[in-house]
């Protein structure tokens, strides 16, 4: 069968190939396909001429229209920053109680603060601010340094044990590692601390009395004679049910034996004053049961 021969059924030329009586037709590409191919190439040529398209050695072709998407994005970001700056400046200038009374400002904070918390705080305190081993919960009423507005703002600004000149310093001594208490004494103190929090350690009254004496000699200077903690030192309250590192026998032994030194970044050089105020309002709202 020659190439010029036509198929009697379709009228198309054949290719000259045949397999078991099946003839291959030399079917033409549909005109619609050629149309779209041509239009696509024309559109590409027009785009190359009008828009930035081809990379060069140190730059790229700018196009006749001179459109620069990077500049457009930068302009939009600048416009958004300018719009945000209007209400952000007001937040920076006002005390927290007056900000809470401003419905418009609180609307901006409700829209901004959750993402601000997620980007900067959730990695340690959790997405729901419930904390975890070594990281305090922010949704309860247990505060190390105090939960009033000014104290929270200061903690956010200078951090805890951070490389900031005004940072807050707090450290739990390593009573076992440094030889101040032996292992049996640590266990006795741990039993007494559990009793302060209302936990039943199974210790005898005599053991608890011994633990109270050891506590008074070694722990009360920071945690207070009643174990209720001291805000000035960042020493936690030992009489409630809130534990940073855990209240089990093993957790308490490790804490007393090896000590603890928590750490929180100082946010003054990373977050603006307005952002820190938004976070402070958001955090206190979580402690009060969540944003309204």
């Amino acid at each position: 069968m020659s190439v010029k021969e036509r198929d009697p059924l379709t009228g198309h030329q054949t290719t000259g190939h045949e397999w078991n009586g099946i003839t291959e037709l030399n079917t033409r590409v549909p005109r619609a396909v050629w149309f779209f191919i041509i239009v696509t190439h024309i559109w590409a040529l027009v785009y190359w001429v009008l828009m930035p398209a081809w990379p060069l050695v140190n730059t790229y072709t700018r196009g006749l229209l001179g459109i620069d998407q990077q500049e457009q994005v930068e302009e939009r970001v600048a416009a958004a920053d300018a719009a945000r700056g209007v209400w952000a400046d007001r937040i920076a200038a006002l005390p927290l109680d007056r900000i809470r009374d401003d419905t418009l400002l609180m609307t901006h904070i409700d829209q901004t603060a959750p993402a601000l918390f997620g980007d900067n705080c959730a990695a340690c305190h959790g997405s729901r601010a419930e904390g975890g081993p070594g990281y305090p919960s922010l949704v309860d009423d247990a505060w190390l340094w105090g939960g009033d507005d000014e104290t929270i703002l200061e903690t956010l600004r200078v951090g805890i044990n951070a490389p900031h000149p005004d940072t807050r310093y707090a450290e739990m001594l390593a009573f076992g590692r440094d030889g101040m208490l032996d292992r049996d004494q640590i266990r006795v103190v741990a039993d007494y601390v559990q009793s302060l929090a209302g936990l039943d350690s199974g210790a005898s009254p005599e053991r608890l009395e011994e633990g109270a004496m050891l506590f008074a000699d070694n722990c009360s200077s920071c945690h207070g004679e009643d174990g209720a903690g001291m805000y000035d030192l960042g020493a936690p309250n030992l009489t409630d049910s809130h534990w940073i590192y855990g209240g089990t026998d093993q957790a308490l032994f490790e804490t007393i034996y090896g000590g603890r030194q928590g750490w929180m970044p100082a946010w003054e050089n990373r977050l603006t004053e307005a952002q820190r105020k938004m976070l402070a309002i958001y955090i206190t709202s979580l402690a009060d049961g969540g944003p309204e």
Side-chain angles (χ1 to χ4, degrees):
M1 181 179 292
S2 66
V3 175
K4 297 298 184 179
E5 186 176 348
R6 291 186 176 273
D7 178 67
L9 182 61
T10 63
H12 290 299
Q13 289 185 343
T14 64
T15 63
H17 299 155
E18 181 179 336
W19 293 271
N20 296 329
I22 300 175
T23 303
E24 181 183 44
L25 302 181
N26 187 14
T27 307
R28 294 180 179 179
V29 176
R31 292 182 178 179
V33 174
W34 284 115
F35 172 80
F36 283 109
I37 290 175
I38 293 171
V39 169
T40 300
H41 281 74
I42 293 175
W43 166 251
L45 290 172
V46 173
Y47 190 92
W48 293 344
V49 173
L50 298 179
M51 305 291 288
W54 291 99
L56 302 176
V57 177
N58 296 320
T59 181
Y60 54 89
T61 57
R62 303 289 176 171
L64 296 180
L65 296 180
I67 295 176
D68 190 325
Q69 291 180 327
Q70 181 175 348
E71 291 180 358
Q72 290 179 336
V73 171
E74 291 175 351
E75 291 173 358
R76 292 173 184 174
V77 170
D81 288 340
R84 182 168 52 249
V86 174
W87 54 265
D89 289 343
R90 290 191 60 200
I91 291 176
L94 294 175
L96 298 193
D97 55 348
R98 289 189 59 188
I99 296 173
R100 292 188 180 96
D101 293 335
D102 191 312
T103 303
L104 181 59
L105 290 181
M106 287 303 299
T107 299
H108 290 301
I109 291 175
D110 290 341
Q111 295 172 347
T112 306
L116 196 60
F117 182 89
D119 291 342
N120 299 279
C121 312
C124 292
H125 294 284
S127 59
R128 298 183 179 180
E130 295 176 347
Y135 303 101
S137 170
L138 303 178
V139 298
D140 54 32
D141 58 353
W143 298 93
L144 295 178
W145 299 92
D148 60 280
D149 289 345
E150 294 305 317
T151 300
I152 292 175
L153 280 173
E154 183 67 3
T155 302
L156 286 170
R157 185 180 76 86
V158 302
I160 300 172
N161 296 323
H164 189 285
D166 300 324
T167 191
R168 301 184 184 279
Y169 286 105
E171 181 176 4
M172 167 77 180
L173 300 179
F175 288 93
R177 186 189 63 203
D178 294 341
M180 291 177 280
L181 296 175
D182 60 36
R183 301 176 75 89
D184 289 335
Q185 289 174 319
I186 291 175
R187 294 188 179 94
V188 172
V189 172
D191 287 342
Y192 177 71
V193 170
Q194 287 179 323
S195 72
L196 290 176
L199 300 176
D200 184 11
S201 64
S204 65
E206 293 78 15
R207 184 177 178 87
L208 293 179
E209 184 177 353
E210 181 185 357
M213 294 176 60
L214 289 170
F215 184 91
D217 293 340
N218 297 275
C219 314
S220 61
S221 59
C222 291
H223 294 283
E225 294 181 0
D226 58 355
M230 292 186 183
Y231 285 154
D232 292 341
L233 300 176
N237 184 355
L238 304 177
T239 65
D240 56 27
S241 59
H242 305 294
W243 302 92
I244 298 178
Y245 297 96
T248 64
D249 293 344
Q250 182 63 30
L252 284 174
F253 182 89
E254 291 175 356
T255 297
I256 300 171
Y257 182 90
R260 301 290 187 183
Q261 186 182 51
W263 179 81
M264 175 179 164
W267 297 102
E268 184 173 40
N269 295 326
R270 173 165 176 170
L271 301 178
T272 65
E273 183 176 2
Q275 289 174 322
R276 298 197 302 273
K277 285 186 174 181
M278 285 189 280
L279 276 177
I281 290 175
Y282 181 71
I283 289 170
T284 53
S285 74
L286 294 177
D288 293 335
E292 299 180 357

